[in-house]
Amino acid sequence: MSRRHTDETEGGRHIGRRQWLSALGIAGVATLAGCSEQGGDGGDGSDGSDGSDGTDGGDGDDGGDGGDGVELGDFPKFGVDDLYGPEVARNLAQQAFEQSEYEYGFDGDTMVNPDGDQVEINIYHSAGQETSQLTAEFIAQELGENLGINVVVEAIDGTRFNNEYWTGEPQGGTDTVNGEEVEWESPTPQNPGPRSVTSNEPWDMSVVFGLNTYPLNPLTNEVFFDGANPFYNPVGYYPQFDAQALFEEARQASSREELQQAFVEIFENLAREQPYITLLFSDDLVGYNPDLEGPIENFSNGWDLPAWHFNDPSVSGSYDTVTSAGFTTLNPLYNTENGAGNAIARALDQGYTFDENQEYFPLLYDMSTEDGEVWTFEVRENLQFSEPYGQVTAEDFVYLIQELHQSDWANTAASSSWDGVEVEQTGEFEFEATLESPNLLWPQTYDPLLYPIPRGLVEPYVEEEDVEGLEQNEELLELQFTGNLGPFTLDEWNRGSGTEYTRNDEYYLRDIDEGPDLFSEGPLFEEAKISVVEEQASRLGALETGEADSAAIPPEQYESYDEDENVTVRQVPTPYNTIISVNQRENGWNAGPGNLFQLVPFRQALASAISKDSLIEGVYRGLAEPHFTWQPRWSEFYPGEE
């Protein structure tokens, strides 16, 4: 295995397996890779149709100027300057009314449905998270004043929203999209089928979740936007542009520069179509125990958690964090939530991470390539599962990929990551992956990021194709197989109250040559705990009294905590955005017939009715940047202002 020396640094963020969501509420450091609740533990990154038949039916936005008197430009900045206010919002809404077969319109300042009643829709926010509530209330006020819509604000537990509203039972089916028939051959709970396939509960809008923008390699965004039938599409968005062709063009890029250019048109179309109503990017505001050494204001804050310590770099104390929502599962094969990803990461490492310079850092395995097409994985030889599973070898990873992630029955969280990849074991501790087309930035997509899972544990479920048994296996749910593969050992998962850990004395990272010198002693805490505390005031109180060593700080209280000598506050960049999810499926838009959310001009109208600047100043206290092009400004793939 090749060695990469990394000078000892203070800080970093552990990057976990793909997490799709981030739940709004100022998370604390959220793991990069997919979606999670923006409300993690704050500790280690660890927090154009008429709608009548579910078909696309209209051209939405034809790439023009957005309609009479509304100049959109290539990268329209909805919600600021000339694209904010009642006039532009109502103009765009009127275009949507004209596309709909139903008689929506304005009665004075009020938007009315075909029965002449005021349009009334709801918006959900995360219960117990003040920032999420204030954001929802601001949106309701803006849509009322600028579009005449009555918006009912409701609180909901993030886990309940995910299970009952956000995801659905995979059903598959076909639909006509942009004049072509599309078949959902491999539906997932996050994209259960065409728009006619819905969640258990109807809903209109939410600010519960934000999405990962994948700033290290935005090619990964194909999981959201590669046509109407990508892996992840809970809202039922149908691109009006040829997303699949543009993503294929991006996949052909052979350098960062080529990828930057390939994505300009994709970002432009996303900016125009507003698949999710983009609002802002905010840093995680995280309060830490001032005696804690390690955390830094860096996107990779937490990657070197095993080197964090209190005061002197010796093993002592317990690293305790708080989170707002419980965990649906700790099964590494099926988790897609950031909060649970944090909890899993305390006891189980993944293949690699990125250091404070955003450079690849091998954990369980190293990766190398000469041409970007064939990648060699070198597995460390000092990795052990718990008994009776023995040593971790390349066979475990190859079996996991071929028999689970690439199967047509298991529907694991990583299933989309291994489509079209040929995997072959080439040695006891080595295997190769051959991509359909070269990708020099493959590790930055997080697709090759794997958990180690014993073949002997999952093989009986593979033989029976027993997905339910695999999801509910106690060894997976309780992380009983983790051996020396994580810094801590999970002692207990209290379903409603959190997780408790003790130091793993056999942690493999102590015997590697790379990384900070303190890895040889790590982790430097005797115990660890993640506590579920729903009320924000209680979470902050735990931080103030020292009961918690890390907690998310809401922006409205940033200044007071920044001046508190008992708390160290850090602004940590994240990949997650703050968005309004609008339900474009058949159980969305409960204000009348036809789903106006399916129409591009109506989504543009919503975006134009909400002032990004006022939201940032009023709710986020200026601690955020407006969101336009699906990349944060600090990303090298941000297309700039041109």
Side-chain angles (χ1 to χ4, degrees), residues 15-95:
I15 298 195
R17 169 68 225 156
R18 183 192 306 279
Q19 310 299 327
W20 312 108
L21 298 170
S22 178
L24 179 57
I26 304 306
V29 188
T31 27
L32 173 65
C35 251
S36 85
E37 281 199 303
Q38 274 180 1
D41 65 17
D44 56 358
S46 342
D47 133 2
S49 153
D50 57 39
S52 61
D53 61 0
T55 62
D56 190 65
D59 63 1
D61 182 13
D62 61 5
D65 65 1
D68 296 340
V70 182
E71 296 290 340
L72 297 185
D74 291 339
F75 284 94
K77 297 183 178 181
F78 295 111
V80 301
D81 301 328
D82 294 339
L83 289 183
Y84 167 69
E87 182 176 353
V88 63
R90 290 166 189 261
N91 184 299
L92 291 165
Q94 191 63 50
Q95 295 174 51

Side-chain angles (χ1 to χ4, degrees), residues 452-463:
I453 306 293
R455 171 174 178 165
L457 193 164
V458 299
E459 195 165 18
Y461 301 101
V462 171
E463 293 173 351

Side-chain angles (χ1 to χ4, degrees), residues 344-361:
I344 294 170
R346 298 286 173 87
L348 184 65
D349 282 350
Q350 295 174 289
Y352 59 90
T353 187
F354 292 93
D355 64 21
E356 74 281 0
N357 298 314
Q358 314 315 326
E359 296 292 334
Y360 178 96
F361 185 89

Side-chain angles (χ1 to χ4, degrees), residues 39 50 85 90-91 106 112 136-137 162 190 210-211 221 239 288 353 415 457 478 492 535 570 595 598 619 632:
D50 57 39
R90 290 166 189 261
N91 184 299
F106 289 104
V112 295
E137 290 173 350
N162 181 71
Q190 294 80 24
L211 295 181
N221 282 285
Y288 290 103
T353 187
S415 61
L457 193 164
E478 300 284 348
E492 189 170 5
E535 291 300 320
R570 301 193 183 278
N595 188 337
Q598 294 177 358
V619 174

Side-chain angles (χ1 to χ4, degrees), residues 190-393:
Q190 294 80 24
N191 189 1
R195 285 170 168 169
S196 57
V197 180
T198 63
S199 57
N200 292 333
E201 298 290 341
W203 61 281
D204 296 321
M205 304 187 300
S206 86
V207 291
V208 175
F209 295 134
L211 295 181
N212 195 331
T213 58
Y214 297 101
L216 295 187
N217 187 349
L219 182 62
T220 314
N221 282 285
E222 64 184 347
V223 77
F224 302 134
F225 303 122
D226 189 13
N229 183 19
F231 180 84
Y232 202 99
N233 191 9
V235 300
Y237 164 61
Y238 290 178
Q240 303 278 317
F241 64 102
D242 194 350
Q244 291 174 316
L246 292 177
F247 273 106
E248 178 58 31
E249 179 183 334
R251 281 191 288 271
Q252 301 302 319
S254 59
S255 67
R256 280 177 162 84
E257 292 74 19
E258 287 185 17
L259 189 59
Q260 285 173 325
Q261 293 303 313
F263 260 89
V264 169
E265 190 172 352
I266 293 176
F267 290 145
E268 175 184 338
N269 279 284
L270 295 178
R272 293 174 67 84
E273 293 196 0
Q274 296 288 295
Y276 299 82
I277 312 302
T278 56
L279 296 175
L280 56 89
F281 283 101
S282 63
D283 292 341
D284 276 342
L285 307 176
V286 190
Y288 290 103
N289 180 333
D291 294 332
L292 181 65
E293 299 289 339
I296 57 173
E297 295 182 331
N298 184 286
F299 175 62
S300 291
N301 179 32
W303 77 274
D304 61 347
L305 180 65
W308 289 15
H309 58 274
F310 294 118
N311 295 318
D312 297 328
S314 59
V315 178
S316 65
S318 178
Y319 179 57
D320 301 334
T321 65
V322 289
T323 184
S324 61
F327 316 129
T328 304
T329 183
L330 293 185
N331 187 327
L333 294 175
Y334 290 98
N335 173 57
T336 61
E337 298 177 2
N338 184 56
N342 297 337
I344 294 170
R346 298 286 173 87
L348 184 65
D349 282 350
Q350 295 174 289
Y352 59 90
T353 187
F354 292 93
D355 64 21
E356 74 281 0
N357 298 314
Q358 314 315 326
E359 296 292 334
Y360 178 96
F361 185 89
L363 291 174
L364 305 177
Y365 49 75
D366 203 355
M367 294 176 62
S368 60
T369 186
E370 293 184 359
D371 57 5
E373 181 178 7
V374 179
W375 287 81
T376 299
F377 291 68
E378 297 177 72
V379 180
R380 293 190 189 277
E381 299 183 20
N382 63 336
L383 307 179
Q384 294 285 333
F385 291 119
S386 302
E387 291 301 330
Y389 301 113
Q391 189 173 18
V392 181
T393 67

